[in-house]
Amino acid sequence: MILSTPARWLLRAAAIGVLTFVYVPLLLVLVNSFSSSATFTWPPPSLTLQWWQVAATNEGLRAAVVTSVEVALLATLIAVVIGTLASMALTRYTFFGQEAVSLLVLLPIALPGIVTGIALNTLFTQALGGLTFFTLVAGHATFCIVIVVNNASARLRRMSGTVEEASTDLGATPWTTWWLVTFPALRGALVAGALLAFALSFDEIIVTTFTAGPGLQTLPLWIFQNLFRPNQSPVVNVAAAVLVVISVLPVYLANRLSGDSAGAATK
Amino acid sequence: MSVDTTLTPGRRVQALLHRRPALRLTGLLTPALVWLGLFYLVPLALLLATAFFDTNSFTGRITYGFSAKNVVDVLTTPAYLLTAARTVGAAAGVTALCVLLALPLATYMALVARERSRPILLALVLTPLWASYLVKVYAWRILLAPEGGLLGGASPGYGWFAVVLTLTYLWLPYMVLPVYAGISSMRGSYLEAAADLGARPWQAFRSVVMPMLAPAIAAGSVFTFSLSIGDYITVQLVGGTKQMLGNLVYANFSTDLPFAAAVALLPLLVMAAYLITIRRTGALSRL
């Protein structure tokens, strides 16, 4: 398809239009965090760093960030261990029910979060004695597994299994082969998958609402709760701005580590 | 074997694993199967069962006996069915809008933009995906505020339009990425062949590009559709008084779990039907 010059210009204009649509709201959030007005006014009357100082010392906000980091770290750890093993099984073996297992791994992100959320809520409140910190971690780990599986499987498929076979033929034990051959090649993809899983868990709110124990507040839950409190809105604005800025990190790091952004395609 | 007795237990396990691939496979698969069974399949089964329980209206406790009351209620009350229809309609609208916006952007990225700027464009599309969901909805809440918002009097205000617009904004990258990958993979040969055979660009787009893009669009639509159909927070923030299925589930899960479970069966069934329909396009292997 040879595109004519007008077609190229039209496509360029459309692309600029769509990207503007994507970035204007994010810029608005950034600028808004420096506005001297406590309520939203546009343009901001003047710019100030005052709210950033207020936010930096906000106890509720800090506690929520700590909870979010703890949950995301644990969920990521579980997802990396389970996901790595599963991706080895899915790419290095053919077995009965392979497609079903792939689908099972995928389901927690292919089905709506509210279904996952209320299903887990039913399990925890009706069968396992209530919601705690660990039910929240379990909920997050469940949808993080697929991220790790996707990242690791993509790498394993591109890397031929013959190297591992050679290692086995030369007398290496399964552990030695994993440690000296497979793992070094897989490391980048695993770190990238872990980063994306962490970011996903850190931002999740729907499954979180249904699985967090009483009194637990992750950062998204904290923001949601304070969104409707006018006196908190400057602090919420700052938290929002910080989240916009740090969203660059997972993309940048995952890109550098895995050498491709394919894994990032499926959140 | 006599040699084995000199080996440490660890070595013996490894020797066994070495000889038995089936054992290795079992070891690799078991953690995932146990975890997803316990924390996904069992909960889904419990959800299904709970939809057929009832709640004692005095004590608020669940009565564990078969009752089709909630399911029948959900399936026969016009108000719930209307909510379901609106939810599916909104999700379909969001998906259509995402395709409409993703096609020109992805085409530009894959066919017009210079090789050097492609990774930058890709990063530009990816980054907003990792900006907080809540923050993005919040941004649209400010933008669309009927009074004192950025758009002022031109704002459509909170309602269905705002919901569809915000959800489209949220899930757009999920559509751009597979469509971009789809167009990139056919860059060159197919398109040149179409041109050599005399196809005009529009013709080539319709009869060569679109059929080949169908699986990519289907893959993207799983996310745009599924994420929209289960949403309740966006509706709460920019929907005004409007409600989607998610809001019904959220509003009832702590007081009447069986009813909330019965409502949750609707998005579950719709998504299951959707996944089964698009399975034929081969889209699921692209997720």
Side-chain angles (χ1 to χ4, degrees), chain B residues 22-149:
Chain B
L23 212 57
R24 288 205 301 271
L25 179 62
T26 311
L28 291 173
L29 270 182
T30 304
L33 290 181
V34 169
W35 185 278
L36 290 171
L38 180 59
F39 293 120
Y40 205 71
L41 294 180
V42 169
L44 280 182
L46 276 178
L47 180 72
L48 190 66
T50 307
F52 289 95
F53 293 150
D54 202 357
T55 306
N56 185 311
S57 49
F58 287 108
T59 59
R61 290 242 177 84
I62 296 173
T63 48
Y64 298 96
F66 179 83
S67 153
K69 180 179 147 280
N70 284 310
V71 176
V72 171
D73 221 23
V74 167
L75 291 177
T76 55
T77 310
Y80 299 147
L81 292 178
L82 195 63
T83 305
R86 284 192 179 128
T87 308
V88 173
V94 170
T95 303
L97 268 177
C98 282
V99 174
L100 220 61
L101 293 175
L103 275 176
L105 178 60
T107 311
Y108 172 79
M109 287 165 63
L111 300 179
V112 182
R114 270 171 301 172
E115 192 81 45
R116 244 178 342 133
S117 45
R118 274 188 203 127
I120 300 164
L121 282 165
L122 201 57
L124 278 177
V125 171
L126 266 175
T127 308
L129 201 56
W130 299 104
S132 162
Y133 160 89
L134 213 46
V135 168
K136 285 180 282 191
V137 185
Y138 176 54
W140 280 98
R141 188 179 157 83
I142 308 178
L143 265 166
L144 295 171
E147 279 165 42

Side-chain angles (χ1 to χ4, degrees), chain A residues 1-3 8 11-12 14-15 18-19 21-23 25-26 28-29 32 40 42 78 82 85-86 88-89 93 95 99 101 103-112 114-116 118-127 138 141-142 145 150 168 172-176 196 199-200 203 205-206 209-210 220 223-224 227-228 233 236-237 240 243-244 247-248 250-251 261 264-267, chain B residues 11 14 17-18 21 24-25 28-29 31-33 35-36 38-44 46-47 50 62 64 101 104-105 107-108 111-112 121-122 124 126-136 138-143 148-150 165 169 172 174 177 191-192 195 201 204-205 209 222-223 226 229-230 232-233 236-237 246 249-250 253 257 260-261 264 267-268 271 275 279 284 287:
Chain A
M1 186 163 65
I2 312 298
L3 288 164
R8 284 168 173 274
L11 283 171
R12 181 168 291 132
V18 174
L19 285 175
F21 166 69
V22 169
Y23 278 92
L26 297 180
L28 179 76
V29 168
N32 197 27
F40 180 77
W42 194 265
I78 294 168
I82 294 178
L85 294 174
M88 292 284 294
Y93 297 84
F95 54 92
E99 224 179 300
V101 174
L103 189 65
L104 174 63
V105 171
L106 193 71
L107 272 187
I109 56 161
L111 292 181
I114 194 149
V115 172
T116 312
I118 191 156
L120 283 167
N121 181 273
T122 310
L123 172 78
F124 294 140
T125 60
Q126 304 306 306
T142 301
I145 291 175
N150 275 356
T168 308
T173 62
W175 174 254
T176 311
L196 299 177
L200 182 57
D203 186 36
I205 180 159
I206 295 183
T209 306
F210 287 90
I223 294 179
F224 191 58
L227 222 45
F228 299 101
S233 82
V236 170
N237 289 339
L243 287 175
V244 168
S247 66
V248 178
V251 181
S261 45
T266 34
K267 186 168 167 178
Chain B
R11 285 256 154 192
Q14 295 220 38
L17 283 174
H18 176 77
R24 288 205 301 271
L25 179 62
L28 291 173
L29 270 182
L33 290 181
W35 185 278
L36 290 171
L38 180 59
F39 293 120
Y40 205 71
L41 294 180
V42 169
L44 280 182
L46 276 178
L47 180 72
T50 307
I62 296 173
Y64 298 96
L101 293 175
L105 178 60
T107 311
Y108 172 79
L111 300 179
V112 182
L121 282 165
L122 201 57
L124 278 177
L126 266 175
T127 308
L129 201 56
W130 299 104
S132 162
Y133 160 89
L134 213 46
V135 168
K136 285 180 282 191
Y138 176 54
W140 280 98
R141 188 179 157 83
I142 308 178
L143 265 166
L150 188 62
L165 185 71
Y169 177 82
L172 181 62
Y174 288 105
L177 293 169
L191 303 174
E192 276 162 27
F205 181 76
V209 178
V222 170
F223 291 105
S226 164
I229 216 169
Y232 64 91
I233 290 171
Q236 243 172 305
L237 288 176
V249 177
Y250 177 67
F253 86 96
L257 191 59
L268 180 65
M271 256 337 274
L275 287 175
R279 220 171 88 102
L284 294 187
L287 295 183

Side-chain angles (χ1 to χ4, degrees), chain A residues 222-255:
Chain A
W222 183 89
I223 294 179
F224 191 58
Q225 213 170 66
N226 286 287
L227 222 45
F228 299 101
R229 294 183 184 154
N231 59 333
Q232 286 280 36
S233 82
V235 180
V236 170
N237 289 339
V238 173
V242 173
L243 287 175
V244 168
V245 173
I246 62 170
S247 66
V248 178
L249 277 179
V251 181
Y252 175 76
L253 291 175
N255 222 334

